[in-house]
Amino acid sequence: PVPRWKPLRHAYEKEIVLYAHFKGLDYFSTECSYSPQAYRGHARNLLKDLEATRSSTVAALGHSARRLAVGEEVATKKLVGC
């Protein structure tokens, strides 16, 4: 497999949208029809609350998560498209 390169990994979503806007790049922002019922919304709200308390929270969590390794015995679900 080809390794992925993520140049904007440490940028916030707002910054990425502004970058695309000023560079004249096409981007879309549509919400999945299943998202209102998703647990992800609760996690997102928690992260927003933590970020309001300490501005570096999301960056610190992302940095910590990259250092964790997932064992091969962990079962993962197949993702389906929206």
Side-chain angles (χ1 to χ4, degrees):
V2 177
R4 296 176 113 184
W5 183 58
K6 300 177 183 178
L8 300 175
R9 174 175 50 190
H10 299 292
Y12 291 98
E13 185 178 0
K14 290 179 184 178
E15 294 169 346
I16 294 170
V17 170
L18 284 172
Y19 176 81
H21 174 74
F22 287 114
K23 287 290 192 174
L25 302 173
D26 290 332
Y27 65 92
F28 63 94
S29 177
T30 59
E31 190 172 42
C32 177
S33 58
Y34 300 112
S35 64
Q37 296 86 19
Y39 179 75
R40 181 181 190 150
H42 300 292
R44 184 179 293 122
N45 289 337
L46 173 64
L47 286 175
K48 285 182 181 179
D49 292 342
L50 290 171
E51 188 78 8
T53 304
R54 183 175 168 213
S55 62
S56 62
T57 300
V58 174
L61 283 171
H63 179 70
S64 297
R66 283 187 292 281
R67 294 186 309 170
L68 295 175
V70 177
E72 291 182 21
E73 68 278 358
V74 176
T76 58
K77 293 169 79 175
K78 290 221 178 234
L79 298 177
V80 294
C82 290

